[in-house]
Amino acid sequence: MMSRDLRSDQPDVIVRSDATAAAKFVADRFAETIRSLPQCVLGLATGGTPIETYRELIRMHQEEGLDFSAVTTFNLDEYVGLGPDHPQSYRHFMRQHLLDHINIDPSRTHLPDGLATDLQGHAAEYEQQIVEAGGIDLQLLGIGHNGHIAFNEPGAAGDSRTRVVQLAEQTIEKNARFFASADEVPRTALTMGIGTILEAKRIVMLATGAGKAEAVRRALEDPADADHPASFLQTHANVTYVLDQGAASRLRL
Ligand code: PGA
């Protein structure tokens, strides 16, 4: 991936008035992809940001018949040590917020297995499964306050692959809101690498709220650098940044 030319054109930035409108835009992009390519491979993300997008996709399934029966999904990451039934596992999150409410075949939904005995071997298998599925057609991403994408924390290489990583202290503190205390947040995770993410055919980054404004600005306006992993998206030819006004508030655009 490092061999890709840095894009010279302007990034594709969509700014919507609020988080709901931004989520609607992203859900529409996903729905268009599913309708035009029923067997598409979607890359999915967890966190607070995508919840409204998933809610809208569920609504489209229930009210408009959006059909997920041939769709395949791969999630970005999972905590090491949390099984699928743990309420804070990302498998549980995905079932709760999307997968249990649409007509997707559970065998086509993939997340890294946080309980795998051979984590590194499992990470390599996960990469292989993505390749065998034909690659990811559309990848949804959030962005961390520290610029992480998936659990690629500052310092992650632009050509990194799916692997075990240590969570940054700031990430542990941010995610502690979902656990009884920060002590309970796992310290390690399995994550797709930046190189893995950059192989998706199209990427949509969704960021909402003024708290993300500086992370978004650095991703778009500073040179691509491992200190801010989201900045590596500048090296991909087909990224759409979908922002609400708060998240866009520091951009020069
Ligand atoms: P958030 O997380 O949606 O909970 O803010 C985003 C991320 O860390 O990628």
PDB file of all heavy atoms in Angstrom, residues 45-50 76-77 90 141-146 148-151 171 174-175 177-178 206 208 212, ligand 1:
ATOM      1  N   ALA A  45     -18.077  -1.520  11.322  1.00  0.00           N
ATOM      2  CA  ALA A  45     -17.347  -0.926  12.441  1.00  0.00           C
ATOM      3  C   ALA A  45     -18.238  -0.907  13.674  1.00  0.00           C
ATOM      4  O   ALA A  45     -19.468  -0.944  13.566  1.00  0.00           O
ATOM      5  CB  ALA A  45     -16.946   0.505  12.071  1.00  0.00           C
ATOM      6  N   THR A  46     -17.629  -0.818  14.827  1.00  0.00           N
ATOM      7  CA  THR A  46     -18.369  -0.685  16.086  1.00  0.00           C
ATOM      8  C   THR A  46     -18.096   0.703  16.672  1.00  0.00           C
ATOM      9  O   THR A  46     -17.446   1.529  16.049  1.00  0.00           O
ATOM     10  CB  THR A  46     -17.939  -1.791  17.073  1.00  0.00           C
ATOM     11  OG1 THR A  46     -16.516  -1.771  17.152  1.00  0.00           O
ATOM     12  CG2 THR A  46     -18.416  -3.155  16.600  1.00  0.00           C
ATOM     13  N   GLY A  47     -18.615   0.942  17.872  1.00  0.00           N
ATOM     14  CA  GLY A  47     -18.444   2.258  18.499  1.00  0.00           C
ATOM     15  C   GLY A  47     -19.765   2.989  18.516  1.00  0.00           C
ATOM     16  O   GLY A  47     -20.769   2.526  17.954  1.00  0.00           O
ATOM     17  N   GLY A  48     -19.776   4.149  19.154  1.00  0.00           N
ATOM     18  CA  GLY A  48     -21.006   4.924  19.247  1.00  0.00           C
ATOM     19  C   GLY A  48     -21.429   5.478  17.889  1.00  0.00           C
ATOM     20  O   GLY A  48     -22.631   5.576  17.588  1.00  0.00           O
ATOM     21  N   THR A  49     -20.462   5.847  17.070  1.00  0.00           N
ATOM     22  CA  THR A  49     -20.760   6.575  15.833  1.00  0.00           C
ATOM     23  C   THR A  49     -21.671   5.825  14.866  1.00  0.00           C
ATOM     24  O   THR A  49     -22.618   6.421  14.338  1.00  0.00           O
ATOM     25  CB  THR A  49     -19.447   6.983  15.136  1.00  0.00           C
ATOM     26  OG1 THR A  49     -18.616   7.645  16.095  1.00  0.00           O
ATOM     27  CG2 THR A  49     -19.710   7.905  13.960  1.00  0.00           C
ATOM     28  N   PRO A  50     -21.440   4.544  14.564  1.00  0.00           N
ATOM     29  CA  PRO A  50     -22.255   3.909  13.514  1.00  0.00           C
ATOM     30  C   PRO A  50     -23.644   3.457  13.951  1.00  0.00           C
ATOM     31  O   PRO A  50     -24.418   2.979  13.118  1.00  0.00           O
ATOM     32  CB  PRO A  50     -21.400   2.697  13.097  1.00  0.00           C
ATOM     33  CG  PRO A  50     -20.588   2.364  14.294  1.00  0.00           C
ATOM     34  CD  PRO A  50     -20.348   3.662  15.008  1.00  0.00           C
ATOM     35  N   LEU A  76     -14.109  -4.846  11.670  1.00  0.00           N
ATOM     36  CA  LEU A  76     -12.718  -4.393  11.767  1.00  0.00           C
ATOM     37  C   LEU A  76     -11.936  -5.056  12.887  1.00  0.00           C
ATOM     38  O   LEU A  76     -10.735  -5.284  12.756  1.00  0.00           O
ATOM     39  CB  LEU A  76     -12.701  -2.878  12.040  1.00  0.00           C
ATOM     40  CG  LEU A  76     -13.155  -1.972  10.907  1.00  0.00           C
ATOM     41  CD1 LEU A  76     -13.402  -0.570  11.440  1.00  0.00           C
ATOM     42  CD2 LEU A  76     -12.088  -1.951   9.812  1.00  0.00           C
ATOM     43  N   ASP A  77     -12.599  -5.293  14.031  1.00  0.00           N
ATOM     44  CA  ASP A  77     -11.791  -5.635  15.207  1.00  0.00           C
ATOM     45  C   ASP A  77     -12.619  -6.317  16.295  1.00  0.00           C
ATOM     46  O   ASP A  77     -13.846  -6.362  16.220  1.00  0.00           O
ATOM     47  CB  ASP A  77     -11.085  -4.383  15.760  1.00  0.00           C
ATOM     48  CG  ASP A  77     -12.011  -3.167  15.851  1.00  0.00           C
ATOM     49  OD1 ASP A  77     -13.253  -3.332  15.777  1.00  0.00           O
ATOM     50  OD2 ASP A  77     -11.495  -2.044  15.986  1.00  0.00           O
ATOM     51  N   TYR A  90     -17.473  -7.153  20.550  1.00  0.00           N
ATOM     52  CA  TYR A  90     -17.972  -6.510  19.332  1.00  0.00           C
ATOM     53  C   TYR A  90     -18.928  -7.434  18.576  1.00  0.00           C
ATOM     54  O   TYR A  90     -19.812  -6.963  17.863  1.00  0.00           O
ATOM     55  CB  TYR A  90     -16.806  -6.026  18.481  1.00  0.00           C
ATOM     56  CG  TYR A  90     -16.160  -4.783  19.063  1.00  0.00           C
ATOM     57  CD1 TYR A  90     -14.916  -4.342  18.631  1.00  0.00           C
ATOM     58  CD2 TYR A  90     -16.808  -4.027  20.045  1.00  0.00           C
ATOM     59  CE1 TYR A  90     -14.341  -3.193  19.146  1.00  0.00           C
ATOM     60  CE2 TYR A  90     -16.238  -2.875  20.572  1.00  0.00           C
ATOM     61  CZ  TYR A  90     -15.001  -2.460  20.119  1.00  0.00           C
ATOM     62  OH  TYR A  90     -14.438  -1.320  20.626  1.00  0.00           O
ATOM     63  N   LEU A 141     -15.849   3.164   8.423  1.00  0.00           N
ATOM     64  CA  LEU A 141     -14.836   3.443   9.445  1.00  0.00           C
ATOM     65  C   LEU A 141     -15.297   4.564  10.356  1.00  0.00           C
ATOM     66  O   LEU A 141     -15.925   5.525   9.890  1.00  0.00           O
ATOM     67  CB  LEU A 141     -13.539   3.954   8.809  1.00  0.00           C
ATOM     68  CG  LEU A 141     -12.608   3.023   8.073  1.00  0.00           C
ATOM     69  CD1 LEU A 141     -11.389   3.831   7.611  1.00  0.00           C
ATOM     70  CD2 LEU A 141     -12.175   1.858   8.952  1.00  0.00           C
ATOM     71  N   GLY A 142     -14.938   4.482  11.622  1.00  0.00           N
ATOM     72  CA  GLY A 142     -14.995   5.633  12.507  1.00  0.00           C
ATOM     73  C   GLY A 142     -13.574   6.157  12.670  1.00  0.00           C
ATOM     74  O   GLY A 142     -12.636   5.667  12.031  1.00  0.00           O
ATOM     75  N   ILE A 143     -13.424   7.141  13.519  1.00  0.00           N
ATOM     76  CA  ILE A 143     -12.075   7.652  13.813  1.00  0.00           C
ATOM     77  C   ILE A 143     -11.993   7.895  15.315  1.00  0.00           C
ATOM     78  O   ILE A 143     -12.946   8.412  15.921  1.00  0.00           O
ATOM     79  CB  ILE A 143     -11.766   8.944  13.007  1.00  0.00           C
ATOM     80  CG1 ILE A 143     -10.349   9.464  13.306  1.00  0.00           C
ATOM     81  CG2 ILE A 143     -12.814  10.030  13.264  1.00  0.00           C
ATOM     82  CD1 ILE A 143      -9.904  10.603  12.388  1.00  0.00           C
ATOM     83  N   GLY A 144     -10.894   7.486  15.926  1.00  0.00           N
ATOM     84  CA  GLY A 144     -10.685   7.758  17.342  1.00  0.00           C
ATOM     85  C   GLY A 144     -10.221   9.193  17.560  1.00  0.00           C
ATOM     86  O   GLY A 144      -9.717   9.845  16.633  1.00  0.00           O
ATOM     87  N   HIS A 145     -10.365   9.674  18.769  1.00  0.00           N
ATOM     88  CA  HIS A 145      -9.873  11.022  19.080  1.00  0.00           C
ATOM     89  C   HIS A 145      -8.375  11.114  18.826  1.00  0.00           C
ATOM     90  O   HIS A 145      -7.847  12.186  18.530  1.00  0.00           O
ATOM     91  CB  HIS A 145     -10.188  11.378  20.540  1.00  0.00           C
ATOM     92  CG  HIS A 145     -11.653  11.544  20.792  1.00  0.00           C
ATOM     93  ND1 HIS A 145     -12.497  10.472  21.012  1.00  0.00           N
ATOM     94  CD2 HIS A 145     -12.434  12.656  20.834  1.00  0.00           C
ATOM     95  CE1 HIS A 145     -13.738  10.923  21.181  1.00  0.00           C
ATOM     96  NE2 HIS A 145     -13.726  12.238  21.093  1.00  0.00           N
ATOM     97  N   ASN A 146      -7.690   9.994  18.948  1.00  0.00           N
ATOM     98  CA  ASN A 146      -6.238   9.981  18.703  1.00  0.00           C
ATOM     99  C   ASN A 146      -5.894   9.609  17.266  1.00  0.00           C
ATOM    100  O   ASN A 146      -4.740   9.352  16.952  1.00  0.00           O
ATOM    101  CB  ASN A 146      -5.551   9.014  19.674  1.00  0.00           C
ATOM    102  CG  ASN A 146      -5.968   7.560  19.462  1.00  0.00           C
ATOM    103  OD1 ASN A 146      -6.845   7.281  18.636  1.00  0.00           O
ATOM    104  ND2 ASN A 146      -5.358   6.658  20.201  1.00  0.00           N
ATOM    105  N   HIS A 148      -6.979   6.948  15.636  1.00  0.00           N
ATOM    106  CA  HIS A 148      -6.954   5.532  15.278  1.00  0.00           C
ATOM    107  C   HIS A 148      -8.074   5.190  14.302  1.00  0.00           C
ATOM    108  O   HIS A 148      -9.123   5.832  14.289  1.00  0.00           O
ATOM    109  CB  HIS A 148      -6.946   4.620  16.512  1.00  0.00           C
ATOM    110  CG  HIS A 148      -8.225   4.517  17.287  1.00  0.00           C
ATOM    111  ND1 HIS A 148      -8.260   4.124  18.601  1.00  0.00           N
ATOM    112  CD2 HIS A 148      -9.522   4.749  16.943  1.00  0.00           C
ATOM    113  CE1 HIS A 148      -9.514   4.107  19.014  1.00  0.00           C
ATOM    114  NE2 HIS A 148     -10.290   4.481  18.046  1.00  0.00           N
ATOM    115  N   ILE A 149      -7.809   4.194  13.464  1.00  0.00           N
ATOM    116  CA  ILE A 149      -8.856   3.574  12.650  1.00  0.00           C
ATOM    117  C   ILE A 149      -8.826   2.096  12.996  1.00  0.00           C
ATOM    118  O   ILE A 149      -7.768   1.499  13.070  1.00  0.00           O
ATOM    119  CB  ILE A 149      -8.705   3.832  11.127  1.00  0.00           C
ATOM    120  CG1 ILE A 149      -7.282   3.582  10.634  1.00  0.00           C
ATOM    121  CG2 ILE A 149      -9.156   5.241  10.781  1.00  0.00           C
ATOM    122  CD1 ILE A 149      -7.135   3.690   9.111  1.00  0.00           C
ATOM    123  N   ALA A 150     -10.003   1.513  13.218  1.00  0.00           N
ATOM    124  CA  ALA A 150     -10.099   0.216  13.888  1.00  0.00           C
ATOM    125  C   ALA A 150      -9.254   0.351  15.164  1.00  0.00           C
ATOM    126  O   ALA A 150      -9.277   1.396  15.816  1.00  0.00           O
ATOM    127  CB  ALA A 150      -9.674  -0.912  12.968  1.00  0.00           C
ATOM    128  N   PHE A 151      -8.478  -0.658  15.527  1.00  0.00           N
ATOM    129  CA  PHE A 151      -7.603  -0.490  16.698  1.00  0.00           C
ATOM    130  C   PHE A 151      -6.157  -0.258  16.261  1.00  0.00           C
ATOM    131  O   PHE A 151      -5.220  -0.630  16.958  1.00  0.00           O
ATOM    132  CB  PHE A 151      -7.713  -1.690  17.632  1.00  0.00           C
ATOM    133  CG  PHE A 151      -8.871  -1.619  18.597  1.00  0.00           C
ATOM    134  CD1 PHE A 151      -9.724  -2.693  18.765  1.00  0.00           C
ATOM    135  CD2 PHE A 151      -9.111  -0.482  19.370  1.00  0.00           C
ATOM    136  CE1 PHE A 151     -10.789  -2.659  19.671  1.00  0.00           C
ATOM    137  CE2 PHE A 151     -10.172  -0.420  20.273  1.00  0.00           C
ATOM    138  CZ  PHE A 151     -11.013  -1.518  20.423  1.00  0.00           C
ATOM    139  N   THR A 171      -7.579   5.256  24.410  1.00  0.00           N
ATOM    140  CA  THR A 171      -8.663   4.397  23.913  1.00  0.00           C
ATOM    141  C   THR A 171      -9.297   3.635  25.074  1.00  0.00           C
ATOM    142  O   THR A 171     -10.526   3.516  25.165  1.00  0.00           O
ATOM    143  CB  THR A 171      -8.111   3.416  22.858  1.00  0.00           C
ATOM    144  OG1 THR A 171      -7.546   4.185  21.795  1.00  0.00           O
ATOM    145  CG2 THR A 171      -9.182   2.497  22.322  1.00  0.00           C
ATOM    146  N   LYS A 174     -11.486   6.069  26.901  1.00  0.00           N
ATOM    147  CA  LYS A 174     -12.715   6.391  26.151  1.00  0.00           C
ATOM    148  C   LYS A 174     -13.701   5.224  26.201  1.00  0.00           C
ATOM    149  O   LYS A 174     -14.908   5.414  26.310  1.00  0.00           O
ATOM    150  CB  LYS A 174     -12.389   6.698  24.687  1.00  0.00           C
ATOM    151  CG  LYS A 174     -11.657   8.000  24.482  1.00  0.00           C
ATOM    152  CD  LYS A 174     -12.616   9.170  24.437  1.00  0.00           C
ATOM    153  CE  LYS A 174     -11.839  10.482  24.328  1.00  0.00           C
ATOM    154  NZ  LYS A 174     -12.541  11.609  24.920  1.00  0.00           N
ATOM    155  N   ASN A 175     -13.174   4.000  26.064  1.00  0.00           N
ATOM    156  CA  ASN A 175     -14.066   2.835  25.997  1.00  0.00           C
ATOM    157  C   ASN A 175     -14.510   2.360  27.375  1.00  0.00           C
ATOM    158  O   ASN A 175     -15.420   1.533  27.477  1.00  0.00           O
ATOM    159  CB  ASN A 175     -13.393   1.705  25.217  1.00  0.00           C
ATOM    160  CG  ASN A 175     -13.268   2.055  23.733  1.00  0.00           C
ATOM    161  OD1 ASN A 175     -13.613   3.160  23.331  1.00  0.00           O
ATOM    162  ND2 ASN A 175     -12.804   1.121  22.942  1.00  0.00           N
ATOM    163  N   ARG A 177     -16.347   3.778  29.281  1.00  0.00           N
ATOM    164  CA  ARG A 177     -17.761   4.117  29.509  1.00  0.00           C
ATOM    165  C   ARG A 177     -18.695   2.938  29.267  1.00  0.00           C
ATOM    166  O   ARG A 177     -19.799   2.905  29.771  1.00  0.00           O
ATOM    167  CB  ARG A 177     -18.165   5.331  28.652  1.00  0.00           C
ATOM    168  CG  ARG A 177     -18.238   5.098  27.151  1.00  0.00           C
ATOM    169  CD  ARG A 177     -18.397   6.447  26.421  1.00  0.00           C
ATOM    170  NE  ARG A 177     -18.783   6.371  25.026  1.00  0.00           N
ATOM    171  CZ  ARG A 177     -17.946   6.141  24.021  1.00  0.00           C
ATOM    172  NH1 ARG A 177     -16.650   5.936  24.247  1.00  0.00           N
ATOM    173  NH2 ARG A 177     -18.388   6.116  22.768  1.00  0.00           N
ATOM    174  N   PHE A 178     -18.233   1.966  28.505  1.00  0.00           N
ATOM    175  CA  PHE A 178     -19.073   0.788  28.236  1.00  0.00           C
ATOM    176  C   PHE A 178     -18.871  -0.324  29.265  1.00  0.00           C
ATOM    177  O   PHE A 178     -19.591  -1.317  29.268  1.00  0.00           O
ATOM    178  CB  PHE A 178     -18.763   0.231  26.839  1.00  0.00           C
ATOM    179  CG  PHE A 178     -19.005   1.231  25.730  1.00  0.00           C
ATOM    180  CD1 PHE A 178     -17.951   1.739  24.994  1.00  0.00           C
ATOM    181  CD2 PHE A 178     -20.295   1.666  25.440  1.00  0.00           C
ATOM    182  CE1 PHE A 178     -18.177   2.663  23.972  1.00  0.00           C
ATOM    183  CE2 PHE A 178     -20.523   2.584  24.427  1.00  0.00           C
ATOM    184  CZ  PHE A 178     -19.464   3.091  23.688  1.00  0.00           C
ATOM    185  N   LEU A 206     -17.115   7.903   8.817  1.00  0.00           N
ATOM    186  CA  LEU A 206     -18.178   8.694   9.444  1.00  0.00           C
ATOM    187  C   LEU A 206     -17.638   9.243  10.761  1.00  0.00           C
ATOM    188  O   LEU A 206     -17.133   8.490  11.593  1.00  0.00           O
ATOM    189  CB  LEU A 206     -19.396   7.806   9.705  1.00  0.00           C
ATOM    190  CG  LEU A 206     -20.551   8.436  10.488  1.00  0.00           C
ATOM    191  CD1 LEU A 206     -21.136   9.646   9.754  1.00  0.00           C
ATOM    192  CD2 LEU A 206     -21.647   7.404  10.750  1.00  0.00           C
ATOM    193  N   THR A 208     -18.732  12.272  13.792  1.00  0.00           N
ATOM    194  CA  THR A 208     -19.731  13.244  14.236  1.00  0.00           C
ATOM    195  C   THR A 208     -19.305  13.864  15.568  1.00  0.00           C
ATOM    196  O   THR A 208     -18.641  13.219  16.375  1.00  0.00           O
ATOM    197  CB  THR A 208     -21.115  12.581  14.400  1.00  0.00           C
ATOM    198  OG1 THR A 208     -20.997  11.465  15.283  1.00  0.00           O
ATOM    199  CG2 THR A 208     -21.667  12.108  13.071  1.00  0.00           C
ATOM    200  N   LYS A 212     -14.531  15.301  17.621  1.00  0.00           N
ATOM    201  CA  LYS A 212     -13.726  14.621  16.598  1.00  0.00           C
ATOM    202  C   LYS A 212     -13.095  15.607  15.608  1.00  0.00           C
ATOM    203  O   LYS A 212     -12.383  15.196  14.685  1.00  0.00           O
ATOM    204  CB  LYS A 212     -14.609  13.624  15.833  1.00  0.00           C
ATOM    205  CG  LYS A 212     -15.128  12.456  16.665  1.00  0.00           C
ATOM    206  CD  LYS A 212     -14.058  11.407  16.909  1.00  0.00           C
ATOM    207  CE  LYS A 212     -14.498  10.293  17.834  1.00  0.00           C
ATOM    208  NZ  LYS A 212     -15.472   9.389  17.259  1.00  0.00           N
TER     209      LYS A 212
HETATM  210  P1  PGA B   1     -16.735   6.080  18.652  1.00  0.00           P
HETATM  211  O1  PGA B   1     -15.393   5.334  18.278  1.00  0.00           O
HETATM  212  O2  PGA B   1     -17.641   5.877  17.474  1.00  0.00           O
HETATM  213  O3  PGA B   1     -17.247   5.370  19.869  1.00  0.00           O
HETATM  214  O4  PGA B   1     -16.391   7.509  18.875  1.00  0.00           O
HETATM  215  C1  PGA B   1     -14.860   5.536  17.012  1.00  0.00           C
HETATM  216  C2  PGA B   1     -13.546   4.810  16.910  1.00  0.00           C
HETATM  217  O5  PGA B   1     -12.852   4.685  17.924  1.00  0.00           O
HETATM  218  O6  PGA B   1     -13.204   4.375  15.807  1.00  0.00           O
END
